[in-house]
Amino acid sequence: MNDNYIEIVNHLREQIDIVQVISNYVHLEHKGNNFVGLCPFHQDKNPSMYVSPTKKIYKCFSCGNSGDVFTFIKKIENISYSEAVKKACELSHIDPPTFFSKPKKINPNQNLYDAINKLSEFYSYMLKTKLGLEAKNYLNERGLDDKIIEYFKIGYAPKDQTLSIKYLRQNEKIDVNILDKIGVTSYSSGDILDRYYNRIVFPISDINSNLVGFSARRFLPNQENEAKYINTSETDIFKKGNLLYNLNNSLPEIKKSKVVYVLEGFMDVIALYRAGIYNAVAIMGTNISENHLNLFKKLGCEVRLLLDSDEPGQIGIEKSIFSLANYNIPTSVVRPFSLAKDSDELLNKYGSKVLIDALNDLISPINFLLERNGKLNLLVSSKQKEDFLNLIKPIYKCSDSLTKANDLSLISTNLHIEKDAISDILTSSNSGFNSVTNIKATNLNNKKSELIPNEYFSLNGEVCINLASYLEKKYVKQYPSKIKFKFLKALIFNEAQLIARIFKIRECYDYFISSKNSYSYFYISELSTLMLYIGEIYQQDSNLKNIDDSSFANLQTRLNLSMEEAINLNDSQQIGEYTNLINILNCLYYSKSNFDRCDFDNFARLIKNHIVNLNKFDIVNKRQ
C-alpha cells in the first residue's frame, strides 16, 4: 500500500461526516459531544455505541467493536476496506478517487433481475391494452388511478397463459431455464404457461429496489374458488422472509420519521400511500421474521402494528408484539378498526381523514393484550391474572417510563389489583414467557369438574371417534408423556365434537363464535385452521345451513390450491399440514353421522367442557 493511497484515505476520513454515514445504518441520538445508538454488532438492548464527530471514530463499550467510518462500513456490509471507502464516499455524495472505482463484479443473478424487469414491463403494458381492461376497471373501482398504478408498477398477466412466455422467449430472447428460475412458469401437456395468468400483478422489490418476484391477485367473480394471491415461489433472489412489500419506496420516509407501519396486505399499503402516509410496509402474509426484526433494530424505528381486524390478524399482532419486545424494538398498536376490516376498506368507505385519525389512535402493546384478553374472558380468576402479568413482563420491562406508568394504571383498573402489587410482579426477576400465540385460561376454580369420558361421546356417531383417532395418531408422537397425552386426548375428542357439529350445523357455528364462554379457537392447529375456512364459507352465504356438496367442493379446491402452492415452495411442513387438513375435511364430509337438529344444551355443555379441558391440559403441560 503506497503513501499516496494512505494520504487520500486520511483526507477522505476528515471530509466524511461519520455521524451522517452511520445514521444510514443505526439511529443515533445526541449526547454531550458525542452521539449514541444501539450497536448493530451484538444484541444491544441499551445504547452502548458512541460515535465521536470530532475524533471521527465509533466505539461500543459493550462488545468492544470500534474503528473509523470505513471500518464500520466494512464490518456491517461485510465488504473489503477499499469497497467500504467507496461506499462511504457514495453515502457522503463525494466522488471517490479513480483507483477505488474498480469495474463492478458481474452479479451471478443479473440475468434473473433482467428477466423479471422485462416481465414486469410486459405486465404493465398489458394492463393498458384491451386485454387488461377488466383488470384496469377493477383497480379504478378500488380507488387506484393511473399515477398510483404507475408508482407501484402494477400490471396484468393476460388470460392467454402462453402470451407472456412467448413474448419473453421470442422478443427478449430469454431462455426458458431463466423463466423457471424466476418462478413464472408452469407446465401442462408439454406447454410452458404463465402461472400468474388472468390476475392483477404486484411486483415485489428488495431493499435495493431490485425487482425479485410477484404476487398475483384474483379479481373476477368466477375466480372465488381460486387462491386469493399466488406468490412467486422461493428462488435465488426471492426469499419471502427477507422481504417487506414497499420497503424500497418507504425507506427514506422511515428513516426520516423513525416510524414504520407494518400491515398485512398490498392494498392496505397502497391505501396508506393514497392517504399521504409513505412509511408503510406489508409482511406478505408471513409472521415478522428474524430478518425483519434485525432491519427494524438497525433502523432504530418505532413499529406500529396494523394487521387485519379479523381473528388471524389479531393473533398475528400478539405474536409480533412478543417478537418485537425480545429485540427491544419500540412498538405500538393501531387500535383495531371498528368501521372496517382493513385500511383499504376504511379509506374507500370513509375517506382519508377517517383513516389518518384511525392510524393515530395508538395503544401500547400491553393495552392491546389487556383489551383482547378481557374480551375473551381470560382475566377472571386470580391465577389467570397472575399468568397474564408474568406473560407481559418482557414487554413492560422494555417500555419507556411514560408508557409503563400508563400501562400500570390500565392494568390496575382492569384487573382490580393495587399498582404496587402489579409493579412487584412485573419487575421481579422471575422470567415471563418469551412468546405466545394465545393466552389460555387456567381457572383452578374448576378442580371438581371432570373430563367428559369417551363413552359419553360414542353415542353421537363415528365421525367424532374417527376424527379424534386420526388426530391422536399425530399428536401422540409430540406428547410422549402418558399424563400429558391423557389430558390431550380428552381435549382432542372434545374439539372433534365441536368441529363435527359446526361442520354439519350452521347454527352451531353461529352459537360458537358468539358465545361469551367460548375461546372461539381450537387448541389443535388443524382444527383451528379448518374453522377459519369453514367460517369464511358460512360468512359468504347467510342462507347456508351446513357444509353441503357445493361448499365442500369449494373447501376441497381451496385446500388443494394451498397444497399446490406449498409443493411449489417445497415446504414439507406446509405440505404435511394441508395433507392433514384434507384428510380431516374428508373424514367430516363422508361420515354417515348427521346431527339433524341443534341440541343447544348439549352444544353449550361441549363449549364449557372445552374450556375445562383447555385449563386442565394447560396446567399439566406446564407442570410436566
Side-chain angles (χ1 to χ4, degrees):
M1 188 177 290
N2 59 44
D3 292 339
N4 188 38
Y5 179 96
I6 296 172
E7 184 180 339
I8 291 173
V9 169
N10 289 337
H11 177 68
L12 288 172
R13 187 186 295 109
E14 291 303 313
Q15 275 188 288
I16 290 171
D17 183 345
I18 187 173
V19 174
Q20 182 252 317
V21 171
I22 290 181
S23 292
N24 284 278
Y25 302 91
V26 177
H27 175 58
L28 298 177
E29 293 182 355
H30 204 276
K31 188 173 183 180
N33 296 325
N34 300 314
F35 288 79
V36 297
L38 295 170
C39 177
F41 302 112
H42 76 286
Q43 288 295 324
D44 196 5
K45 292 192 175 182
N46 296 303
S48 57
M49 186 180 76
Y50 281 68
V51 181
S52 171
T54 54
K55 296 180 180 178
K56 303 286 186 179
I57 60 171
Y58 76 93
K59 180 173 177 61
C60 175
F61 287 92
S62 181
C63 70
N65 211 301
S66 63
D68 61 12
V69 64
F70 308 130
T71 307
F72 180 89
I73 293 178
K74 177 181 182 295
K75 290 179 179 178
I76 202 164
E77 295 276 6
N78 193 27
I79 55 181
S80 70
Y81 192 84
S82 294
E83 289 172 323
V85 173
K86 183 182 175 184
K87 179 76 173 180
C89 290
E90 291 172 355
L91 292 172
S92 303
H93 307 291
I94 296 172
D95 292 330
T98 53
F99 57 76
F100 287 112
S101 302
K102 295 179 180 178
K104 288 186 177 179
K105 291 181 180 178
I106 297 175
N107 189 323
N109 293 317
Q110 190 58 51
N111 52 1
L112 304 185
Y113 293 125
D114 292 341
I116 284 182
N117 275 293
K118 293 296 182 184
L119 181 56
S120 181
E121 289 170 6
F122 174 80
Y123 288 152
S124 294
Y125 173 75
M126 293 307 300
L127 186 64
K128 299 168 186 174
T129 67
K130 287 183 179 180
L131 294 177
L133 186 59
E134 279 187 294
K136 179 76 180 302
N137 289 339
Y138 174 85
L139 291 170
N140 292 157
E141 288 168 6
R142 294 288 297 267
L144 278 64
D145 59 23
D146 289 348
K147 287 184 179 179
I148 296 289
I149 292 170
E150 187 68 28
Y151 180 80
F152 287 97
K153 300 180 181 178
I154 301 169
Y156 169 68
K159 190 174 183 178
D160 183 341
Q161 293 177 258
T162 64
L163 202 56
S164 60
I165 304 298
K166 287 178 180 176
Y167 170 79
L168 292 171
R169 295 185 70 188
Q170 295 174 11
N171 294 61
E172 300 296 340
K173 309 301 179 186
I174 297 175
D175 189 87
V176 68
N177 181 51
I178 299 299
L179 300 181
D180 289 338
K181 287 184 177 180
I182 64 172
V184 68
T185 54
S186 65
Y187 291 84
S188 177
S189 303
D191 293 327
I192 308 171
L193 309 174
D194 185 339
R195 66 191 299 261
Y196 309 125
Y197 76 98
N198 204 23
R199 285 171 173 264
I200 291 170
V201 179
F202 296 85
I204 299 162
S205 299
D206 62 18
I207 194 171
N208 297 314
S209 294
N210 298 310
L211 287 183
V212 293
F214 301 95
S215 186
R217 190 191 196 283
R218 70 184 187 207
F219 68 97
L220 295 170
N222 62 5
Q223 294 176 313
E224 286 301 313
N225 290 335
E226 301 176 15
K228 188 174 183 180
Y229 284 96
I230 296 177
N231 295 322
T232 297
S233 54
E234 294 280 306
T235 69
D236 289 344
I237 59 175
F238 186 89
K239 309 291 183 186
K240 195 158 65 169
N242 296 345
L243 299 167
L244 289 167
Y245 179 70
N246 196 49
L247 176 62
N248 59 312
N249 293 327
S250 62
L251 200 55
E253 185 62 27
I254 293 171
K255 289 180 178 180
K256 179 181 174 183
S257 65
K258 295 301 175 185
V259 169
V260 58
Y261 288 93
V262 176
L263 298 98
E264 195 168 326
F266 308 142
M267 294 298 286
D268 298 324
V269 168
I270 294 170
L272 264 65
Y273 182 88
R274 290 164 55 201
I277 308 297
Y278 306 129
N279 51 336
V281 300
I283 54 177
M284 300 188 53
T286 65
N287 295 323
I288 292 179
S289 71
E290 187 175 353
N291 288 322
H292 300 150
L293 293 166
N294 285 323
L295 174 66
F296 297 145
K297 182 85 167 179
K298 197 175 289 185
L299 291 171
C301 58
E302 174 195 345
V303 173
R304 295 182 179 176
L305 295 170
L306 177 55
L307 306 187
D308 287 357
S309 56
D310 57 14
E311 186 63 12
Q314 299 303 287
I315 291 173
I317 290 177
E318 287 187 33
K319 292 179 179 178
S320 300
I321 282 171
F322 287 92
S323 297
L324 290 159
N326 285 340
Y327 276 68
N328 199 30
I329 296 170
T331 306
S332 55
V333 180
V334 177
R335 190 184 297 277
F337 299 152
S338 58
L339 297 174
K341 178 188 175 183
D342 53 38
S343 304
D344 180 58
E345 183 181 321
L346 192 65
L347 175 68
N348 290 328
K349 281 187 176 181
Y350 302 100
S352 58
K353 184 180 184 305
V354 172
L355 174 58
I356 291 171
D357 288 344
L359 293 175
N360 289 326
D361 187 7
L362 300 170
I363 56 177
S364 71
I366 286 177
N367 192 354
F368 171 82
L369 293 172
L370 197 61
E371 290 183 4
R372 175 165 167 75
N373 288 282
K375 289 176 183 176
L376 293 174
N377 289 327
L378 301 181
L379 299 174
V380 180
S381 70
S382 297
K383 179 62 176 172
Q384 287 176 322
K385 294 175 183 179
E386 183 183 351
D387 284 349
F388 178 79
L389 293 176
N390 280 318
L391 189 72
I392 63 174
K393 276 183 187 179
I395 305 171
Y396 181 82
K397 288 179 178 178
C398 70
S399 300
D400 58 62
S401 299
L402 183 59
T403 303
K404 282 181 179 177
N406 290 336
D407 284 343
L408 205 58
S409 297
L410 283 168
I411 297 168
S412 177
T413 301
N414 283 272
L415 300 190
H416 307 292
I417 302 174
E418 293 294 328
K419 289 183 183 179
D420 289 345
I422 296 170
S423 182
D424 287 344
I425 294 176
L426 294 179
T427 57
S428 67
S429 58
N430 294 332
S431 60
F433 299 101
N434 288 325
S435 62
V436 69
T437 54
N438 279 302
I439 301 170
K440 301 180 181 66
T442 52
N443 190 342
L444 298 182
N445 295 328
N446 288 323
K447 281 183 179 178
K448 294 182 180 179
S449 299
E450 295 297 328
L451 299 173
I452 296 179
N454 286 356
E455 292 75 18
Y456 171 80
F457 296 114
S458 62
L459 302 175
N460 295 313
E462 83 287 358
V463 57
C464 305
I465 297 173
N466 291 345
L467 178 54
S469 298
Y470 176 82
L471 291 167
E472 285 172 17
K473 288 178 183 177
K474 175 193 172 185
Y475 282 89
V476 68
K477 296 177 182 178
Q478 296 182 22
Y479 292 90
S481 162
K482 289 184 179 180
I483 296 176
K484 282 186 182 181
F485 191 69
K486 172 187 173 184
F487 287 88
L488 179 63
K489 186 175 180 180
L491 181 59
I492 288 173
F493 210 87
N494 186 185
E495 293 194 346
Q497 284 282 298
L498 289 171
I499 199 73
R501 282 167 171 74
I502 287 167
F503 183 88
K504 301 215 171 190
I505 305 172
R506 165 63 175 264
E507 291 172 275
C508 285
Y509 168 80
D510 293 335
Y511 185 83
F512 182 70
I513 62 171
S514 64
S515 173
K516 291 183 179 178
N517 294 320
S518 168
Y519 280 83
S520 296
Y521 77 92
F522 290 84
Y523 180 85
I524 305 303
S525 61
E526 290 90 343
L527 300 187
S528 179
T529 302
L530 195 58
M531 179 69 176
L532 293 176
Y533 280 101
I534 291 171
E536 288 178 7
I537 294 289
Y538 279 144
Q539 288 164 20
Q540 287 171 8
D541 185 357
S542 58
N543 296 318
L544 191 65
K545 301 299 182 184
N546 56 30
I547 302 298
D548 55 16
D549 293 356
S550 174
S551 49
F552 170 72
N554 188 341
L555 277 169
Q556 270 193 322
T557 301
R558 295 175 67 185
L559 287 173
N560 284 326
L561 285 168
S562 298
M563 168 75 89
E564 182 181 332
E565 185 173 357
I567 292 170
N568 288 335
L569 294 173
N570 197 25
D571 188 335
S572 58
Q573 183 178 349
Q574 287 288 321
I575 292 169
E577 288 178 5
Y578 283 115
T579 302
N580 287 338
L581 281 173
I582 291 168
N583 288 338
I584 291 169
L585 180 66
N586 291 338
C587 179
L588 291 170
Y589 181 72
Y590 291 112
S591 162
K592 296 177 183 178
S593 296
N594 287 305
F595 307 106
D596 294 324
R597 66 184 185 85
C598 185
D599 180 355
F600 279 114
D601 290 336
N602 181 32
F603 193 71
R605 180 180 176 184
L606 285 173
I607 291 176
K608 289 179 181 177
N609 197 72
H610 183 225
I611 295 175
V612 174
N613 286 342
L614 278 170
N615 292 342
K616 288 183 174 290
F617 178 70
D618 192 40
I619 292 168
V620 74
N621 200 28
K622 287 179 180 178
R623 288 178 179 171
Q624 293 298 310

